[in-house]
Amino acid sequence: MDLSFSVIGNATGAITFALLMIYAVRSYQRRATDKAILFATSTTLCWLLILTIQALGFELPFTLRYSLELLRTAAWFTVLYAILGVTVFPSKFKIGPQFFFTTGVITLISGLIAVLIIQELFTISLVSGKTLLVLNVLVSLVGILLLEQIWRNSSLFTRAGIKYLSIAVATILAYDFVMYSDALLFNRLSGALWDSRGAVNALAAPLIAATLVNRKGKALGIHISRQMVFHTTTLVIAGIYLLFVSAGGYYINVFGGSWGAALRVLFLFSAGIFLILVISSPNLRARTMVFISKNFFDYKYDYRDEWIKSTSSLQTPASESSKKESLYRRSTNTLAELVQAQAGVIWSQDEDGNLTFKDQFGFDQHNFGLINNDSDLIQYFNDNDWIINLNEYLTDPDKYGLIELPEFVLTCENPWLLVPLKVNDKLSAIVLLGKPYVPMDLNWENYDLLKIVAQQACSYIDQHSSEEQLAQSQQFEAVNQTSAFLIHDIKTIIAQLSMMVKNAPKHKSNPAFVDDMIETTRHSVEKMEHLLGQIRNPNQHEKLSDINLCDILSKVCYEKRNALPVPTLKLHSENIPIQADAQQLASVIEHITQNAIEACSKDGHVDISTKASPDYAFIFIQDNGSGMEEEFITNELFKPFSSTKGLTGMGIGAYQSREYLRKIGGSISVTSEPDIGTCFTLSIPLLEEPQPEHKPQAIQKPQQDKEA
């Protein structure tokens, strides 16, 4: 007996699979994967035994060997489908996907075996050897693609459990693919590949044994998505279609005579266009997804996938072209896609509680009106979270409390569902969906998913509405803030003019008073013109200029010369160069000085002094008035519209002063104690290069005017 490499390799494979089958029997736990692995190892063992006997020189029928090889390949397919959760041999008879799968596999294998037996018995040629080679190549390729999809759609944890089994099955199928492809290419079987076949299968046995050892009682299986099944089904159907097209083109070329080549080209291009039209059809896609959901899954939806898709579609699009699509349109599209609806329209609640039309798609030239807030439909949705199925409503209106629906809802083209968009029992919008591409029987899954996504869409719509209201409120706040600043400045001007009018009867014959009155009037006119400029163009940039701070302080003290107490000024230098808007800075210092005057009694004192560091000039405005609490300084002083003056104060002067000093790079700080006094410290950046000295106005003039 000649022990060739083929004999040793096939015998080794038979021994390893015999041991593997014994271990599979011992670890058998009556699960789908256990049944499939036991069936696959048993058929592989029988097939390897036949190959060993044939390698030893015994003549065996080709039909027997090839039939066992078909069973062996089909058995490993059952292992892959067991991992996916499809049982080839169900425990109970049931008309369903398992029944059709089992029937299809058995019919295909039985048909091929019957054809081979007929050929063997009657010595006739029904199927050529080349056709069998093509069949083996296609079966191996489909198995590899199926295994690739299983690996791609499995989690990391699941991959650890099926890693060795996947490598083993991939080894068996890939080797068959390479061997039969080589035979198809060169019209002969490679002796080296054929002799090594048993040994290669023997290498896969330990990997399968490692899977059985490592699983430790855990079932093998992965989560398979509907999209994976859909794309795999599409790929298989397209492949089968292309095979038939190729066969049709071949026969046209053979029997078409002189027109054969041209007719074949025309036929192939026509078939390709038809395939593209069919695959791109939304109707076919909807029908396929419904069929897959009904027959291959316990639930109609992949809820994780649906939640991610709905969240993504409701968010603001990144592309500029998609931003033109309103949130109302996106919400309608999202709900429509859940049930494959062809059309949709949305109404949203306005300020009066009515539902106004916002957007629609798919309804051609239909006038959707307003739904009044006292209508039966709104009252029904306020009291219930139910979705109204208009097919059921038209059949049995009593099911929905005999409510009256708007005429434009019932008369539009193919109305189907009315979905309320509610959050926390508050109705924000209503969506009407048109009938789907494929007739669909709705159950609790459809309604629950529609309700959940409707709540999500409602939260986005409410958020969008709140953002619009907030933006509008901010615009009003800006207007109110500008008005408040304007009123505050006008109030200061009025106070100056009122004091002048009050003293006019006593001092109108005094030339000095007349000069002061003219100067005060001129100053008021300048401030009014400045305010009008701000109102006309609030965004205009202030003109910064190089000024002497001493001039500003002297001017403020001169204007307050008639106040009691009269502020005093003490300068550390006659020239303090800074850069600022003279009008604005004078208003800041004047405001703080006026507050200090008002906080003191007539016999009190308000002192203004200056100091400087290398980078900043400091202004100290100190009084011995009523003072402020520390809590008020921390929390209220620089807060707009907070004041210690009650109804007579606007509460924005300190805030306005601080903001302007910050704008020019300065700051303001306050120290105060009740009944002792207050000191405001203003810091302003100095100019890098000192300006030429400019003699300030006499600071004793206020005292002279007081004596006068």
Side-chain angles (χ1 to χ4, degrees):
M1 182 183 295
D2 184 17
L3 293 178
S4 64
F5 182 80
S6 177
V7 173
I8 296 174
N10 290 325
T12 303
I15 293 171
T16 55
F17 270 92
L19 295 174
L20 178 62
M21 187 183 69
I22 294 172
Y23 186 80
V25 171
R26 292 185 57 187
S27 62
Y28 181 73
Q29 297 185 15
R30 300 180 63 83
R31 291 181 298 212
T33 51
D34 296 320
K35 296 177 183 179
I37 291 175
L38 183 58
F39 175 60
T41 53
S42 302
T43 54
T44 304
L45 172 61
C46 296
W47 171 70
L48 287 170
L49 287 173
I50 293 296
L51 290 182
T52 304
I53 294 172
Q54 187 177 11
L56 288 171
F58 295 94
E59 291 293 334
L60 294 175
F62 169 78
T63 302
L64 177 61
R65 183 193 64 77
Y66 193 79
S67 298
L68 278 174
E69 185 171 336
L70 286 176
L71 285 173
R72 190 261 330 200
T73 306
W76 289 114
F77 266 82
T78 63
V79 173
L80 298 180
Y81 275 93
I83 295 175
L84 294 176
V86 179
T87 306
V88 180
F89 302 105
S91 57
K92 296 181 181 180
F93 179 79
K94 181 182 178 182
I95 301 297
Q98 296 180 3
F99 171 78
F100 291 112
F101 173 77
T102 305
T103 304
V105 171
I106 294 175
T107 303
L108 178 61
I109 295 176
S110 301
L112 285 173
I113 294 175
V115 169
L116 294 174
I117 292 174
I118 292 173
Q119 287 188 152
E120 187 76 21
L121 293 177
F122 298 99
T123 63
I124 59 175
S125 179
L126 297 177
V127 179
S128 66
K130 196 168 187 177
T131 303
L132 293 178
L133 286 177
V134 172
L135 178 62
N136 282 321
V137 170
L138 290 177
V139 168
S140 303
L141 181 59
V142 170
I144 293 171
L145 291 176
L146 180 61
L147 185 60
E148 186 269 340
Q149 288 294 321
I150 290 174
W151 186 263
R152 184 189 297 274
N153 288 274
S154 59
S155 63
L156 291 177
F157 177 78
T158 306
R159 287 180 182 179
I162 66 172
K163 178 175 65 175
Y164 297 118
L165 180 61
S166 300
I167 295 174
V169 177
T171 301
I172 295 171
L173 296 175
Y175 193 86
D176 287 355
F177 176 76
V178 172
M179 186 183 69
Y180 286 118
S181 297
D182 179 81
L184 188 62
L185 181 63
F186 296 103
N187 291 320
R188 60 176 176 80
L189 277 171
S190 171
L193 291 175
W194 181 264
D195 293 341
S196 303
R197 197 177 187 194
V200 171
N201 278 262
L203 294 176
L207 298 175
I208 301 171
T211 301
L212 297 176
V213 172
N214 292 337
R215 65 179 181 170
K216 296 179 180 180
K218 297 180 181 179
L220 295 175
I222 66 168
H223 166 74
I224 179 170
S225 68
R226 285 163 174 78
Q227 292 299 323
M228 180 264 192
V229 175
F230 174 77
H231 292 301
T232 303
T233 304
T234 305
L235 179 64
V236 172
I237 293 175
I240 295 173
Y241 175 78
L242 291 176
L243 286 176
F244 280 108
V245 170
S246 300
Y250 172 77
Y251 283 106
I252 289 175
N253 191 37
V254 172
F255 301 106
S258 60
W259 289 11
L263 288 175
R264 183 184 61 178
V265 172
L266 178 61
F267 174 75
L268 292 177
F269 271 91
S270 301
I273 294 173
F274 176 76
L275 178 62
I276 294 173
L277 291 175
V278 170
I279 291 178
S280 62
S281 169
N283 193 303
L284 177 64
R285 180 185 179 90
R287 289 181 181 274
T288 305
M289 291 301 292
V290 169
F291 174 79
I292 290 172
S293 297
K294 282 184 177 181
N295 295 285
F296 288 92
F297 293 91
D298 294 331
Y299 297 100
K300 286 187 174 183
Y301 297 98
D302 184 342
Y303 291 100
R304 172 182 171 276
D305 185 54
E306 295 297 339
W307 188 256
I308 292 175
K309 284 197 303 183
S310 62
T311 303
S312 176
S313 60
L314 289 171
Q315 289 176 346
T316 303
S319 61
E320 292 296 331
S321 59
S322 300
K323 285 183 180 180
K324 297 179 181 179
E325 190 177 72
S326 67
L327 175 61
Y328 300 104
R329 170 65 69 87
R330 298 200 302 272
S331 301
T332 310
N333 287 337
T334 301
L335 291 172
E337 289 178 0
L338 294 177
V339 289
Q340 303 295 329
Q342 303 183 59
V345 60
I346 185 170
W347 294 267
S348 180
Q349 200 168 41
D350 59 15
E351 297 177 354
D352 299 325
N354 302 318
L355 290 175
T356 57
F357 168 78
K358 290 297 183 181
D359 208 340
Q360 67 93 16
F361 72 94
F363 291 110
D364 296 332
Q365 297 180 351
H366 190 81
N367 185 20
F368 293 103
L370 179 141
I371 304 176
N372 293 318
N373 58 3
D374 58 351
S375 65
D376 291 350
L377 182 60
I378 292 183
Q379 294 300 324
Y380 179 82
F381 281 143
N382 283 331
D383 298 335
N384 303 280
D385 290 330
W386 294 351
I387 295 173
I388 297 179
N389 189 325
L390 295 176
N391 295 334
E392 296 178 352
Y393 173 83
L394 295 175
T395 304
D396 184 15
D398 187 58
K399 185 175 182 179
Y400 297 99
L402 297 175
I403 62 173
E404 183 179 354
L405 297 181
E407 185 68 20
F408 51 79
V409 171
L410 298 176
T411 57
C412 68
E413 183 181 0
N414 296 324
W416 184 30
L417 298 175
L418 279 169
V419 184
L421 274 60
K422 298 178 64 176
V423 171
N424 297 327
D425 295 329
K426 177 182 177 295
L427 180 67
S428 297
I430 293 177
V431 171
L432 169 65
L433 299 178
K435 287 186 177 179
Y437 294 101
V438 181
M440 181 181 295
D441 295 328
L442 301 181
N443 62 3
W444 62 270
E445 277 194 84
N446 304 104
Y447 289 121
D448 284 352
L449 184 60
L450 280 172
K451 289 178 183 178
I452 292 172
V453 177
Q455 290 178 0
Q456 187 185 18
C458 183
S459 64
Y460 275 89
I461 291 175
D462 285 349
Q463 180 183 358
H464 176 69
S465 178
S466 299
E467 289 174 353
E468 288 184 339
Q469 293 178 2
L470 178 61
Q472 189 176 23
S473 299
Q474 289 175 342
Q475 291 177 349
F476 279 115
E477 182 181 357
V479 173
N480 292 335
Q481 187 176 6
T482 303
S483 302
F485 290 151
L486 178 62
I487 293 173
H488 177 270
D489 290 340
I490 292 176
K491 178 185 173 184
T492 303
I493 296 173
I494 292 175
Q496 293 176 344
L497 296 177
S498 297
M499 182 178 295
M500 182 181 66
V501 172
K502 181 180 179 181
N503 294 327
K506 298 180 181 178
H507 305 286
K508 61 182 178 180
S509 11
N510 187 346
F513 176 78
V514 174
D515 293 339
D516 289 343
M517 183 178 65
I518 295 173
E519 180 63 23
T520 302
T521 304
R522 184 191 61 78
H523 177 68
S524 299
V525 171
E526 288 179 356
K527 293 188 70 173
M528 291 295 295
E529 289 178 346
H530 181 73
L531 290 176
L532 288 175
Q534 286 186 321
I535 294 173
R536 292 192 186 101
N537 188 8
N539 296 321
Q540 66 180 353
H541 297 287
E542 296 175 357
K543 295 180 181 180
L544 300 180
S545 58
D546 298 343
I547 58 176
N548 186 358
L549 181 60
C550 299
D551 293 343
I552 301 296
L553 295 174
S554 300
K555 182 179 179 181
V556 170
C557 289
Y558 178 76
E559 290 177 352
K560 301 297 180 183
R561 65 192 180 280
N562 295 322
L564 292 175
V566 178
T568 61
L569 178 61
K570 183 179 180 181
L571 299 172
H572 76 280
S573 171
E574 293 184 351
N575 181 40
I576 306 176
I578 62 172
Q579 192 175 56
D581 182 279
Q583 186 75 25
Q584 284 277 60
L585 183 59
S587 297
V588 169
I589 299 173
E590 182 181 352
H591 166 75
I592 298 175
T593 303
Q594 182 63 33
N595 283 349
I597 293 172
E598 293 177 359
C600 296
S601 60
K602 292 183 179 181
D603 54 353
H605 62 84
V606 174
D607 301 323
I608 302 176
S609 60
T610 64
K611 284 186 179 181
S613 70
D615 299 320
Y616 287 90
F618 297 95
I619 306 171
F620 303 98
I621 304 176
Q622 188 171 0
D623 66 75
N624 62 345
S626 57
M628 294 176 287
E629 298 283 349
E630 182 66 27
E631 182 180 359
F632 177 82
I633 295 174
T634 304
N635 301 322
E636 302 292 336
L637 178 61
F638 296 107
K639 183 178 180 181
F641 311 113
S642 295
S643 175
T644 57
K645 303 177 185 178
L647 297 177
T648 61
M650 293 294 297
I652 60 171
Y655 169 79
Q656 193 174 13
S657 301
R658 184 190 65 177
E659 292 304 304
Y660 180 73
L661 289 174
R662 286 180 175 178
K663 187 183 296 185
I664 62 175
S667 64
I668 184 171
S669 61
V670 185
T671 57
S672 181
E673 291 187 20
D675 301 326
I676 294 180
T678 302
C679 179
F680 278 81
T681 303
L682 283 62
S683 66
I684 303 173
L686 288 170
L687 282 177
E688 294 181 359
E689 297 181 2
Q691 300 296 314
E693 290 188 1
H694 178 76
K695 186 176 181 180
Q697 297 180 7
I699 60 175
Q700 297 298 327
K701 189 173 181 180
Q703 297 289 343
Q704 296 172 0
D705 290 343
K706 182 179 178 182
E707 293 175 359

